[in-house]
Amino acid sequence: MDDSQRHLWENMGMEWECNCRRLEGKVAIVAGASRGIGEVTASRLAAEGAAVVVAAPERERDAIDAVVASIRDHGGDAAGAVFDGADDASFAALCDLTINQYGGLDIFHANFADQSLLADDTNILDAAQDILDRTLDVNLKGMARATRHALPHLLARGGGAMIYSSSAAATMGQTVRPFYSMSKAGIGALVRHVANRWGPENIRANAILPGYVMTPAMQVSVPEEMAAQFQRETPSGRLGRCEDIAAMVAMLGSSDGEWINGQTISVDGGLTMR
């Protein structure tokens, strides 16, 4: 277990394991769980009692195994799996693995995007067509693929939660990254469709829009002066932590979130106000 995982469990998970077990008996998939927000979310859901399938692309297999081992070391129940956001069959296989392992599915957290494209997602005039195609294929179409395969299993359980990771970029109107922003804004339409069509069958669909969250990758890649600027733009006075997003996922997946449906929820310290 590395230092970040030790910090997570010592300062978050074990306390919740004792005092906040809202997800006992639930089964969750976190698609995009090998690091950052997804890793912390998978650990939080496990700490609250859920059996968690930790999923990420095949190239991140070692990281998947490390997250699973960390959860199990602290008494949680987890299994590892792989998926590809651009491959429909991989979502079918991910859901099938979950059903075979745990017998059902209650929560699907779709927490994936192709972040490698951001540097080339410059502006609408200069960014290449292949950047547009790949961004929409993974970040937006991937969410539709995940929904189409997860939803029947949620319905089979009598209801459940689809929880999507969007972004503050969906509403901010930034001068760069138009394709990324488009892909994230489109998730809102999917959320409202699923919530409206299947809400009467106890399906909840919501999206979380994080602001500036200082994941380990952000801490390495964002210059100090840029991080300071991000903090100045955030009214709450600090930058986000992975735990901030994980807490919202846990709430939305629990009975505490039963009357929240069809929403795009900003968790950004007041960066956006709507």
Side-chain angles (χ1 to χ4, degrees):
M1 177 171 43
D2 64 24
D3 289 342
S4 64
Q5 292 166 332
R6 184 175 296 107
H7 171 80
L8 168 66
W9 283 97
E10 290 178 353
N11 292 281
M12 180 198 71
M14 296 311 293
E15 177 183 352
W16 289 334
E17 186 175 34
C18 295
N19 299 320
C20 192
R21 302 283 287 184
R22 295 177 294 185
L23 302 177
E24 290 278 8
K26 301 296 184 183
V27 178
I29 294 173
V30 181
S34 62
R35 61 183 184 273
I37 290 171
E39 175 187 355
V40 174
T41 298
S43 297
R44 167 106 193 213
L45 299 182
E48 292 214 20
V52 181
V53 175
V54 176
E58 175 66 45
R59 64 182 178 276
E60 299 171 19
R61 170 61 79 174
D62 289 347
I64 295 169
D65 293 343
V67 177
V68 170
S70 177
I71 290 172
R72 290 177 175 173
D73 284 348
H74 291 86
D77 190 354
V82 298
F83 78 100
D84 177 351
D87 179 19
D88 189 72
S90 77
F91 287 103
L94 173 59
C95 291
D96 287 345
L97 178 149
T98 302
I99 302 308
N100 290 336
Q101 179 92 8
Y102 293 114
L105 177 64
D106 303 286
I107 302 163
F108 193 107
H109 180 37
N111 177 60
F112 56 87
D114 191 336
Q115 302 284 352
S116 70
L117 307 172
L118 292 177
D120 295 316
D121 187 4
T122 51
N123 64 70
I124 198 66
L125 296 180
D126 297 331
Q129 179 69 34
D130 63 329
I131 302 301
L132 170 61
D133 293 342
R134 174 68 179 176
T135 298
L136 295 182
D137 196 16
V138 175
N139 300 10
L140 184 56
K141 292 182 182 179
M143 297 291 173
R145 295 179 183 111
T147 306
R148 291 172 67 180
H149 288 288
L151 185 56
H153 297 295
L154 298 177
L155 289 166
R157 293 280 262 198
M162 288 295 306
I163 306 168
Y164 305 84
S165 287
S166 180
S167 170
T171 67
M172 288 177 68
Q174 296 177 313
T175 60
V176 293
R177 295 182 291 277
F179 302 154
Y180 178 81
S181 298
M182 289 165 58
S183 70
K184 293 299 188 179
I187 293 171
L190 176 60
V191 160
R192 290 183 289 273
H193 164 69
V194 173
N196 203 6
R197 171 60 181 81
W198 285 281
E201 297 173 63
N202 299 317
I203 297 296
R204 307 187 305 279
N206 296 285
I208 299 171
L209 283 62
Y212 298 128
V213 176
M214 294 306 289
T215 64
M218 287 278 282
Q219 292 172 17
V220 171
S221 63
V222 173
E224 187 175 337
E225 60 273 17
M226 184 178 293
Q229 177 61 35
F230 290 164
Q231 184 164 332
R232 287 192 293 271
E233 294 174 9
T234 303
S236 288
R238 70 164 172 86
L239 296 176
R241 306 182 184 111
C242 296
E243 289 85 349
D244 296 321
I245 311 305
M248 180 59 73
V249 176
M251 189 273 285
L252 290 173
S254 77
S255 60
D256 289 336
E258 280 187 353
W259 216 46
I260 303 172
N261 209 359
Q263 304 303 309
T264 53
I265 302 169
S266 296
V267 183
D268 61 10
L271 177 66
T272 60
M273 297 187 183
R274 299 176 286 126

